Amino acid sequence: MLVLSRKKGESIVIQDHIELTVLSVEGDTVKIGISAPKHVDIFRKEVYLSIQEANRESVAPQQSDLHALIHKLRG
């Protein structure tokens, strides 16, 4: 992990297309502005993890589906 120090108003640039700017620091809360192309998805980590879990669940076979398939194969 790269660790950088930035002050309010300072930025970090990632691969010429993404810019992170520190907008404010209040106590232990930091507000960050993100400028990126529209095709780049940006999520808070907890939302991203929730999406990933939902995607895994949607492709995992359900127990009832497995029973139906077994029954069909046994014909």
Side-chain angles (χ1 to χ4, degrees):
M1 175 187 300
L2 174 64
V3 178
L4 301 171
S5 297
R6 300 280 74 201
K7 295 178 182 175
K8 180 180 173 183
E10 294 181 332
S11 298
I12 296 168
V13 176
I14 301 172
Q15 293 187 348
D16 298 327
H17 303 291
I18 301 170
E19 183 175 354
L20 308 173
T21 303
V22 177
L23 300 177
S24 68
V25 179
E26 299 171 11
D28 55 346
T29 300
V30 178
K31 289 188 181 179
I32 300 171
I34 303 169
S35 176
K38 290 185 183 275
H39 70 275
V40 174
D41 293 329
I42 301 170
F43 301 103
R44 295 187 326 264
K45 186 172 183 177
E46 62 274 15
V47 171
Y48 176 78
L49 294 174
S50 177
I51 291 168
Q52 293 299 311
E53 180 62 26
N55 288 342
R56 279 191 294 276
E57 289 175 2
S58 70
V59 297
Q62 298 297 317
Q63 192 68 21
S64 60
D65 295 339
L66 291 175
H67 288 301
L69 179 60
I70 291 169
H71 181 71
K72 183 177 181 179
L73 291 174
R74 288 184 180 164

